[in-house]
Amino acid sequence: MSENLFDRIGGNAAVDAAVDIFYKKVLSDDSINRFFETTNMDAQREKQKKFLTFAFGGPNDYSGKDMRTAHAGLDGLNEAHFSAVAGHLEATLEELGVPAAEVSEAMAIAASTHDDVLGL
Amino acid sequence: MSRQKSATDQITIYYEGTSVRCDPDKSVLDNLLDQNLDVNHCCKNGSCLTCLLKTDSEVDEKSRVPLKATLSELGYFLSCQQIPSDGMVIKSAASDDCFRKAVVTSMIKKSGHVSQVFLKPYGEFLYKPGQFINIKGPKDTVRSYSIASIPSDNVLELHIKEHQYGIVSPWLCADDRIGREIEISGPNGECFYLPENQDQSMLMIGTGTGLAPLLGIVRDSYSQNHRGKIELYFGAVDDPGLYLADQLRVLEKKYDNLTVHFGILKNGPINDTALKNHPDLKEWRVFLCGDPDMVKKTKTKAYLAGAALANIYVDAFEQAEINP
């Protein structure tokens, strides 16, 4: 396979389309939106974009350590929250018509962050 | 550069020639305050720009982003946003770099302990209505106030709510302030009208003196021939808090596409009313000014209602800690 997932999905343009849908889903979900409350929504949205680029296997500056540090301060973050965010990612990709195989691929990348995000 | 960390992982910075041992996890500002050093500050979240200090050392981008290029160039940074680095040499904000003199020309007392205060800065003072200036009050205490006037007024208009235990507001609103000089800096802030997409509908929500920047923005947008409709929501705790209702009604008559809505708290938060009336904000430009909690919540709601983040302008009025 010559192209990676990021390019196959549509590169930066796909991330731009996805971040809007994804961020809105996250903010509308009362079970998790307290973690995303911030005075700087623009910065938060940029972070979502980085995360999506990462999930799409695209060029990014995310590392496991960053993931761990970034989530360390979030009080009460648990398995249910992780699943909720993963669910929104999956729904976002499906809404955008990303083929099932590519969705699974992105979900696998997202799942790889599990231990770092939950500090395990 | 190699540097050796002490056993406790502390680092040292130099402030006005004094060495200060720092907790590396706290901001430069908090470290200086912990040592009882007197540094101007107010909101501590990078909005008010009162905690400006100067350094030649490298600083993080977020400590400079809100500053004007001219101030960054001079080495200024926001001490509340910057983590100290070992060996950093910091100077206090030199007064003449930032502050200039203005004279208080007049004052109108309104209801709800609000005064309209008019200033005339010496020399040319360029600003966008809706931006804010900082005023230096007693004991070098600095507070931020938004600009309600437009440049053709030839005076700066501010709306000052007098706080019972405030330091700057009672001083500034005192009758004998008229005719006297004060020190101001700025303008700062990015909550103002840009003359593009002039048929765009605009939703404006202000609580308390959050009306001040909105008044400036409304008048500015009309002076720049904005054609789209403007829905202005002005909320206060009680009726006296709607301190500028009369003037707004006059403005509403003057401009066909302006509608002003008033709300007091017992009838529900004004932001809820506004979003109920305008559930679809796609393509809208949104301005939110006043209570930080209202601004934050409404920004999220406006975004979820379809407004693009780039189209949402905010001015959150962070309150200083008050020690009665």
Side-chain angles (χ1 to χ4, degrees):
Chain A
M1 195 153 42
S2 58
E3 272 189 320
N4 63 21
L5 175 65
F6 179 73
D7 293 323
R8 269 181 283 141
I9 291 181
N12 266 322
V15 176
D16 281 334
V19 68
D20 225 34
I21 300 171
F22 177 68
Y23 192 23
K24 279 180 187 168
K25 284 186 190 299
V26 165
L27 284 175
S28 308
D29 183 344
D30 287 336
S31 76
I32 51 170
N33 54 16
R34 71 181 172 94
F35 295 114
F36 297 89
E37 268 187 10
T38 166
T39 42
N40 198 337
M41 285 177 66
D42 306 79
Q44 181 65 249
R45 193 175 178 279
E46 280 311 302
K47 280 186 204 160
Q48 309 296 337
K49 208 168 152 176
K50 277 191 188 165
F51 166 66
L52 290 176
T53 306
F54 169 80
F56 294 173
N60 68 87
D61 43 19
Y62 249 71
S63 71
K65 188 170 165 284
D66 292 336
M67 274 291 195
R68 199 166 270 271
T69 324
H71 293 86
L74 300 177
D75 226 15
L77 189 70
N78 64 34
E79 198 67 49
H81 303 130
F82 186 86
S83 308
V85 174
H88 292 311
L89 175 63
E90 192 168 19
T92 300
L93 297 177
E94 282 165 359
E95 227 174 287
L96 287 169
V98 174
E102 272 76 17
V103 174
S104 316
E105 232 178 297
M107 293 311 292
I109 298 175
S112 73
T113 66
H114 178 272
D115 289 2
D116 283 320
V117 167
L118 297 180
L120 302 174
Chain B
M1 186 178 72
S2 70
R3 68 164 199 237
Q4 222 158 9
K5 288 191 174 183
S6 69
T8 52
D9 220 23
Q10 278 209 336
I11 54 176
T12 303
I13 62 174
Y14 301 90
Y15 177 68
E16 291 286 302
T18 311
S19 62
V20 179
R21 297 265 277 166
C22 284
D23 177 340
D25 294 327
K26 286 184 174 178
S27 69
V28 167
L29 175 64
D30 281 333
N31 272 298
L32 296 176
L33 295 175
D34 284 351
Q35 300 296 319
N36 292 318
L37 289 159
D38 192 19
V39 181
N40 260 317
H41 63 282
C42 186
C43 78
K44 285 197 181 176
N45 72 11
S47 307
C48 73
L49 314 187
T50 52
C51 67
L52 282 181
L53 295 176
K54 218 171 170 178
T55 186
D56 291 329
S57 308
E58 287 271 300
V59 296
D60 297 336
E61 202 181 307
K62 65 170 181 170
S63 327
R64 287 238 159 103
V65 162
L67 301 184
K68 284 202 299 264
T70 45
L71 285 177
S72 299
E73 189 67 32
L74 291 169
Y76 283 99
F77 69 102
L78 292 173
S79 59
C80 73
Q81 296 297 305
Q82 182 64 41
I83 298 297
S85 57
D86 202 33
M88 207 172 181
V89 177
I90 297 167
K91 285 186 226 145
S92 67
S95 230
D96 49 342
D97 278 346
C98 308
F99 283 89
R100 57 190 291 171
K101 288 204 163 63
V103 65
V104 179
T105 54
S106 61
M107 210 179 291
I108 305 171
K109 301 278 179 193
K110 309 298 286 188
S111 57
H113 307 284
V114 177
S115 296
Q116 281 174 295
V117 175
F118 299 88
L119 310 174
K120 205 160 171 51
Y122 293 138
E124 191 181 39
F125 187 81
L126 299 173
Y127 69 94
K128 307 270 188 209
Q131 284 191 297
F132 64 89
I133 58 167
N134 284 337
I135 293 183
K136 195 188 275 185
K139 294 181 252 171
D140 279 355
T141 307
V142 177
R143 293 288 180 262
S144 309
Y145 300 101
S146 297
I147 306 174
S149 52
I150 58 175
S152 58
D153 292 345
N154 283 320
V155 284
L156 287 182
E157 174 184 345
L158 312 174
H159 299 171
I160 317 282
K161 163 96 186 238
E162 257 186 86
H163 293 282
Q164 195 184 352
Y165 299 109
I167 300 170
V168 179
S169 59
W171 169 86
L172 188 55
C173 296
D175 290 327
D176 62 2
R177 195 65 41 211
I178 298 169
R180 288 166 67 175
E181 283 178 351
I182 59 169
E183 284 186 272
I184 67 169
S185 73
N188 298 304
E190 287 152 33
C191 184
F192 55 81
Y193 179 78
L194 285 173
E196 53 193 35
N197 199 357
Q198 295 196 289
D199 291 309
Q200 192 170 28
S201 300
M202 301 202 285
L203 173 66
M204 304 187 182
I205 307 174
T207 54
T209 48
L211 177 68
L214 296 180
L215 180 64
I217 293 164
V218 167
R219 294 184 57 218
D220 188 37
S221 61
Y222 285 123
S223 77
Q224 301 198 62
N225 305 313
H226 187 81
R227 294 176 298 268
K229 66 174 172 182
I230 299 179
E231 300 281 347
L232 171 62
Y233 288 78
F234 176 31
V237 175
D238 49 20
D239 282 316
L242 298 172
Y243 62 93
L244 216 64
D246 293 350
Q247 197 176 320
L248 289 173
R249 289 198 183 95
V250 171
L251 211 62
E252 195 179 16
K253 284 209 182 79
K254 190 171 160 190
Y255 299 113
D256 286 342
N257 34 7
L258 172 67
T259 312
V260 186
H261 311 257
F262 300 92
I264 53 173
L265 205 51
K266 71 170 187 209
N267 299 328
I270 191 81
N271 42 322
D272 289 353
T273 312
L275 285 163
K276 212 166 84 190
N277 291 347
H278 309 283
D280 183 4
L281 294 175
K282 203 167 183 291
E283 310 299 333
W284 282 63
R285 205 183 305 191
V286 180
F287 293 87
L288 308 168
C289 305
D291 178 64
D293 197 48
M294 181 283 285
V295 166
K296 185 169 125 183
K297 284 187 178 144
T298 314
K299 185 171 179 181
T300 307
K301 286 183 183 163
Y303 176 68
L304 292 175
L309 279 184
N311 272 325
I312 307 177
Y313 297 83
V314 300
D315 186 359
F317 286 14
E318 305 285 349
Q319 294 287 329
E321 295 157 33
I322 291 170
N323 307 307

mmCIF file of all heavy atoms in Angstrom, chain B residues 169-198:
data_model
loop_
_atom_site.group_PDB
_atom_site.id
_atom_site.type_symbol
_atom_site.label_atom_id
_atom_site.label_comp_id
_atom_site.label_asym_id
_atom_site.label_seq_id
_atom_site.Cartn_x
_atom_site.Cartn_y
_atom_site.Cartn_z
ATOM 1 N N SER B 169 -12.001 51.841 40.721
ATOM 2 C CA SER B 169 -13.279 52.413 40.286
ATOM 3 C C SER B 169 -13.783 53.564 41.165
ATOM 4 O O SER B 169 -14.184 54.602 40.614
ATOM 5 C CB SER B 169 -14.340 51.322 40.102
ATOM 6 O OG SER B 169 -14.564 50.608 41.291
ATOM 7 N N PRO B 170 -13.758 53.481 42.521
ATOM 8 C CA PRO B 170 -14.240 54.632 43.302
ATOM 9 C C PRO B 170 -13.346 55.862 43.124
ATOM 10 O O PRO B 170 -13.830 57.000 43.111
ATOM 11 C CB PRO B 170 -14.167 54.132 44.758
ATOM 12 C CG PRO B 170 -14.024 52.658 44.676
ATOM 13 C CD PRO B 170 -13.342 52.364 43.383
ATOM 14 N N TRP B 171 -12.080 55.625 42.946
ATOM 15 C CA TRP B 171 -11.105 56.710 42.733
ATOM 16 C C TRP B 171 -11.379 57.424 41.411
ATOM 17 O O TRP B 171 -11.425 58.635 41.324
ATOM 18 C CB TRP B 171 -9.698 56.095 42.749
ATOM 19 C CG TRP B 171 -8.571 56.960 42.292
ATOM 20 C CD1 TRP B 171 -7.854 57.838 43.043
ATOM 21 C CD2 TRP B 171 -8.005 56.999 40.979
ATOM 22 N NE1 TRP B 171 -6.875 58.437 42.283
ATOM 23 C CE2 TRP B 171 -6.945 57.930 41.007
ATOM 24 C CE3 TRP B 171 -8.286 56.331 39.779
ATOM 25 C CZ2 TRP B 171 -6.170 58.225 39.880
ATOM 26 C CZ3 TRP B 171 -7.524 56.622 38.658
ATOM 27 C CH2 TRP B 171 -6.479 57.561 38.727
ATOM 28 N N LEU B 172 -11.625 56.593 40.371
ATOM 29 C CA LEU B 172 -11.828 57.149 39.036
ATOM 30 C C LEU B 172 -13.159 57.878 38.921
ATOM 31 O O LEU B 172 -13.278 58.870 38.197
ATOM 32 C CB LEU B 172 -11.759 55.994 38.017
ATOM 33 C CG LEU B 172 -11.760 56.324 36.536
ATOM 34 C CD1 LEU B 172 -10.648 57.292 36.189
ATOM 35 C CD2 LEU B 172 -11.630 55.046 35.718
ATOM 36 N N CYS B 173 -14.170 57.389 39.638
ATOM 37 C CA CYS B 173 -15.502 57.971 39.519
ATOM 38 C C CYS B 173 -15.745 59.121 40.498
ATOM 39 O O CYS B 173 -16.839 59.680 40.541
ATOM 40 C CB CYS B 173 -16.568 56.901 39.724
ATOM 41 S SG CYS B 173 -16.542 55.636 38.454
ATOM 42 N N ALA B 174 -14.744 59.447 41.295
ATOM 43 C CA ALA B 174 -14.908 60.565 42.226
ATOM 44 C C ALA B 174 -15.068 61.864 41.438
ATOM 45 O O ALA B 174 -14.407 62.059 40.422
ATOM 46 C CB ALA B 174 -13.693 60.644 43.151
ATOM 47 N N ASP B 175 -15.982 62.736 41.922
ATOM 48 C CA ASP B 175 -16.275 63.979 41.198
ATOM 49 C C ASP B 175 -15.028 64.827 40.958
ATOM 50 O O ASP B 175 -14.897 65.482 39.925
ATOM 51 C CB ASP B 175 -17.304 64.814 41.974
ATOM 52 C CG ASP B 175 -18.672 64.146 41.936
ATOM 53 O OD1 ASP B 175 -18.968 63.497 40.912
ATOM 54 O OD2 ASP B 175 -19.415 64.261 42.931
ATOM 55 N N ASP B 176 -14.114 64.804 41.945
ATOM 56 C CA ASP B 176 -12.942 65.689 41.801
ATOM 57 C C ASP B 176 -11.898 65.121 40.830
ATOM 58 O O ASP B 176 -10.821 65.684 40.672
ATOM 59 C CB ASP B 176 -12.314 65.999 43.163
ATOM 60 C CG ASP B 176 -11.786 64.754 43.862
ATOM 61 O OD1 ASP B 176 -11.879 63.662 43.273
ATOM 62 O OD2 ASP B 176 -11.294 64.886 44.998
ATOM 63 N N ARG B 177 -12.214 64.015 40.182
ATOM 64 C CA ARG B 177 -11.302 63.480 39.170
ATOM 65 C C ARG B 177 -11.396 64.302 37.878
ATOM 66 O O ARG B 177 -10.482 64.307 37.057
ATOM 67 C CB ARG B 177 -11.650 62.001 38.914
ATOM 68 C CG ARG B 177 -10.643 61.147 38.173
ATOM 69 C CD ARG B 177 -9.335 60.924 38.870
ATOM 70 N NE ARG B 177 -9.484 60.683 40.289
ATOM 71 C CZ ARG B 177 -8.571 61.035 41.194
ATOM 72 N NH1 ARG B 177 -7.447 61.610 40.825
ATOM 73 N NH2 ARG B 177 -8.776 60.806 42.470
ATOM 74 N N ILE B 178 -12.546 64.962 37.694
ATOM 75 C CA ILE B 178 -12.763 65.725 36.458
ATOM 76 C C ILE B 178 -11.725 66.844 36.342
ATOM 77 O O ILE B 178 -11.473 67.577 37.298
ATOM 78 C CB ILE B 178 -14.191 66.321 36.412
ATOM 79 C CG1 ILE B 178 -15.205 65.169 36.414
ATOM 80 C CG2 ILE B 178 -14.404 67.180 35.176
ATOM 81 C CD1 ILE B 178 -16.634 65.598 36.644
ATOM 82 N N GLY B 179 -11.123 66.923 35.165
ATOM 83 C CA GLY B 179 -10.110 67.947 34.930
ATOM 84 C C GLY B 179 -8.716 67.498 35.313
ATOM 85 O O GLY B 179 -7.740 68.220 35.083
ATOM 86 N N ARG B 180 -8.603 66.317 35.905
ATOM 87 C CA ARG B 180 -7.275 65.875 36.332
ATOM 88 C C ARG B 180 -6.685 64.831 35.394
ATOM 89 O O ARG B 180 -7.378 64.181 34.632
ATOM 90 C CB ARG B 180 -7.348 65.339 37.769
ATOM 91 C CG ARG B 180 -7.551 66.503 38.732
ATOM 92 C CD ARG B 180 -7.955 66.081 40.090
ATOM 93 N NE ARG B 180 -6.924 65.346 40.817
ATOM 94 C CZ ARG B 180 -7.083 64.968 42.091
ATOM 95 N NH1 ARG B 180 -8.185 65.284 42.738
ATOM 96 N NH2 ARG B 180 -6.143 64.301 42.709
ATOM 97 N N GLU B 181 -5.374 64.686 35.493
ATOM 98 C CA GLU B 181 -4.674 63.738 34.637
ATOM 99 C C GLU B 181 -4.661 62.346 35.252
ATOM 100 O O GLU B 181 -4.531 62.203 36.469
ATOM 101 C CB GLU B 181 -3.218 64.193 34.448
ATOM 102 C CG GLU B 181 -3.067 65.330 33.465
ATOM 103 C CD GLU B 181 -1.608 65.768 33.341
ATOM 104 O OE1 GLU B 181 -0.762 65.305 34.140
ATOM 105 O OE2 GLU B 181 -1.321 66.568 32.442
ATOM 106 N N ILE B 182 -4.783 61.364 34.387
ATOM 107 C CA ILE B 182 -4.588 59.978 34.830
ATOM 108 C C ILE B 182 -3.642 59.317 33.832
ATOM 109 O O ILE B 182 -3.355 59.884 32.777
ATOM 110 C CB ILE B 182 -5.917 59.181 34.903
ATOM 111 C CG1 ILE B 182 -6.597 59.147 33.536
ATOM 112 C CG2 ILE B 182 -6.836 59.786 35.943
ATOM 113 C CD1 ILE B 182 -7.752 58.165 33.480
ATOM 114 N N GLU B 183 -3.151 58.123 34.186
ATOM 115 C CA GLU B 183 -2.270 57.394 33.277
ATOM 116 C C GLU B 183 -3.004 56.203 32.673
ATOM 117 O O GLU B 183 -3.653 55.440 33.393
ATOM 118 C CB GLU B 183 -1.034 56.913 34.038
ATOM 119 C CG GLU B 183 -0.042 58.026 34.311
ATOM 120 C CD GLU B 183 1.218 57.459 34.932
ATOM 121 O OE1 GLU B 183 1.253 57.352 36.168
ATOM 122 O OE2 GLU B 183 2.146 57.112 34.166
ATOM 123 N N ILE B 184 -2.901 56.096 31.355
ATOM 124 C CA ILE B 184 -3.567 54.984 30.672
ATOM 125 C C ILE B 184 -2.564 54.264 29.753
ATOM 126 O O ILE B 184 -1.553 54.834 29.348
ATOM 127 C CB ILE B 184 -4.769 55.461 29.815
ATOM 128 C CG1 ILE B 184 -4.304 56.321 28.625
ATOM 129 C CG2 ILE B 184 -5.751 56.251 30.662
ATOM 130 C CD1 ILE B 184 -5.406 56.587 27.605
ATOM 131 N N SER B 185 -2.845 53.005 29.458
ATOM 132 C CA SER B 185 -2.048 52.288 28.466
ATOM 133 C C SER B 185 -2.979 51.517 27.549
ATOM 134 O O SER B 185 -4.134 51.312 27.849
ATOM 135 C CB SER B 185 -1.059 51.338 29.136
ATOM 136 O OG SER B 185 -1.744 50.232 29.663
ATOM 137 N N GLY B 186 -2.456 51.104 26.432
ATOM 138 C CA GLY B 186 -3.266 50.387 25.453
ATOM 139 C C GLY B 186 -3.374 51.179 24.170
ATOM 140 O O GLY B 186 -2.539 52.051 23.938
ATOM 141 N N PRO B 187 -4.348 50.920 23.346
ATOM 142 C CA PRO B 187 -5.429 49.967 23.560
ATOM 143 C C PRO B 187 -4.994 48.523 23.319
ATOM 144 O O PRO B 187 -4.019 48.280 22.630
ATOM 145 C CB PRO B 187 -6.457 50.386 22.511
ATOM 146 C CG PRO B 187 -5.625 50.890 21.371
ATOM 147 C CD PRO B 187 -4.450 51.559 22.014
ATOM 148 N N ASN B 188 -5.722 47.594 23.926
ATOM 149 C CA ASN B 188 -5.497 46.175 23.738
ATOM 150 C C ASN B 188 -6.816 45.488 23.407
ATOM 151 O O ASN B 188 -7.873 46.062 23.590
ATOM 152 C CB ASN B 188 -4.959 45.550 25.040
ATOM 153 C CG ASN B 188 -3.635 46.143 25.443
ATOM 154 O OD1 ASN B 188 -2.686 46.133 24.688
ATOM 155 N ND2 ASN B 188 -3.582 46.691 26.649
ATOM 156 N N GLY B 189 -6.712 44.248 23.001
ATOM 157 C CA GLY B 189 -7.906 43.440 22.808
ATOM 158 C C GLY B 189 -8.293 43.269 21.355
ATOM 159 O O GLY B 189 -7.955 44.099 20.505
ATOM 160 N N GLU B 190 -8.964 42.175 21.094
ATOM 161 C CA GLU B 190 -9.334 41.824 19.723
ATOM 162 C C GLU B 190 -10.833 41.725 19.529
ATOM 163 O O GLU B 190 -11.297 41.131 18.559
ATOM 164 C CB GLU B 190 -8.699 40.483 19.357
ATOM 165 C CG GLU B 190 -7.210 40.593 19.140
ATOM 166 C CD GLU B 190 -6.492 39.290 19.447
ATOM 167 O OE1 GLU B 190 -7.088 38.240 19.217
ATOM 168 O OE2 GLU B 190 -5.353 39.348 19.922
ATOM 169 N N CYS B 191 -11.582 42.295 20.467
ATOM 170 C CA CYS B 191 -13.036 42.250 20.341
ATOM 171 C C CYS B 191 -13.492 43.554 19.707
ATOM 172 O O CYS B 191 -13.792 44.523 20.385
ATOM 173 C CB CYS B 191 -13.670 42.063 21.724
ATOM 174 S SG CYS B 191 -15.450 41.872 21.690
ATOM 175 N N PHE B 192 -13.488 43.588 18.372
ATOM 176 C CA PHE B 192 -13.941 44.796 17.675
ATOM 177 C C PHE B 192 -14.470 44.435 16.298
ATOM 178 O O PHE B 192 -14.378 43.288 15.857
ATOM 179 C CB PHE B 192 -12.833 45.858 17.605
ATOM 180 C CG PHE B 192 -11.541 45.401 16.998
ATOM 181 C CD1 PHE B 192 -11.377 45.336 15.626
ATOM 182 C CD2 PHE B 192 -10.464 45.047 17.814
ATOM 183 C CE1 PHE B 192 -10.179 44.928 15.070
ATOM 184 C CE2 PHE B 192 -9.252 44.632 17.263
ATOM 185 C CZ PHE B 192 -9.115 44.570 15.883
ATOM 186 N N TYR B 193 -15.046 45.433 15.627
ATOM 187 C CA TYR B 193 -15.674 45.214 14.321
ATOM 188 C C TYR B 193 -14.651 45.271 13.195
ATOM 189 O O TYR B 193 -13.820 46.176 13.140
ATOM 190 C CB TYR B 193 -16.740 46.290 14.086
ATOM 191 C CG TYR B 193 -17.430 46.176 12.742
ATOM 192 C CD1 TYR B 193 -18.428 45.232 12.539
ATOM 193 C CD2 TYR B 193 -17.074 47.016 11.688
ATOM 194 C CE1 TYR B 193 -19.055 45.124 11.304
ATOM 195 C CE2 TYR B 193 -17.701 46.915 10.456
ATOM 196 C CZ TYR B 193 -18.686 45.963 10.265
ATOM 197 O OH TYR B 193 -19.296 45.855 9.052
ATOM 198 N N LEU B 194 -14.721 44.275 12.311
ATOM 199 C CA LEU B 194 -13.897 44.307 11.105
ATOM 200 C C LEU B 194 -14.820 44.559 9.914
ATOM 201 O O LEU B 194 -15.826 43.873 9.761
ATOM 202 C CB LEU B 194 -13.178 42.974 10.908
ATOM 203 C CG LEU B 194 -11.982 42.691 11.817
ATOM 204 C CD1 LEU B 194 -11.485 41.270 11.606
ATOM 205 C CD2 LEU B 194 -10.860 43.693 11.537
ATOM 206 N N PRO B 195 -14.504 45.543 9.074
ATOM 207 C CA PRO B 195 -15.408 45.892 7.978
ATOM 208 C C PRO B 195 -15.323 44.915 6.806
ATOM 209 O O PRO B 195 -14.885 45.270 5.716
ATOM 210 C CB PRO B 195 -14.937 47.294 7.565
ATOM 211 C CG PRO B 195 -13.510 47.329 7.965
ATOM 212 C CD PRO B 195 -13.344 46.421 9.151
ATOM 213 N N GLU B 196 -15.710 43.690 7.045
ATOM 214 C CA GLU B 196 -15.787 42.722 5.958
ATOM 215 C C GLU B 196 -17.115 41.991 6.110
ATOM 216 O O GLU B 196 -17.693 41.977 7.195
ATOM 217 C CB GLU B 196 -14.609 41.744 6.030
ATOM 218 C CG GLU B 196 -14.451 41.089 7.377
ATOM 219 C CD GLU B 196 -13.113 40.374 7.544
ATOM 220 O OE1 GLU B 196 -12.100 40.871 7.006
ATOM 221 O OE2 GLU B 196 -13.116 39.333 8.195
ATOM 222 N N ASN B 197 -17.596 41.385 5.033
ATOM 223 C CA ASN B 197 -18.870 40.674 5.086
ATOM 224 C C ASN B 197 -19.946 41.552 5.733
ATOM 225 O O ASN B 197 -20.527 41.200 6.757
ATOM 226 C CB ASN B 197 -18.670 39.379 5.897
ATOM 227 C CG ASN B 197 -19.762 38.368 5.619
ATOM 228 O OD1 ASN B 197 -20.696 38.647 4.868
ATOM 229 N ND2 ASN B 197 -19.654 37.200 6.217
ATOM 230 N N GLN B 198 -20.203 42.708 5.124
ATOM 231 C CA GLN B 198 -21.014 43.730 5.795
ATOM 232 C C GLN B 198 -22.512 43.482 5.788
ATOM 233 O O GLN B 198 -23.275 44.261 6.345
ATOM 234 C CB GLN B 198 -20.677 45.102 5.210
ATOM 235 C CG GLN B 198 -19.216 45.447 5.529
ATOM 236 C CD GLN B 198 -18.912 46.891 5.330
ATOM 237 O OE1 GLN B 198 -18.861 47.356 4.204
ATOM 238 N NE2 GLN B 198 -18.710 47.617 6.421
#
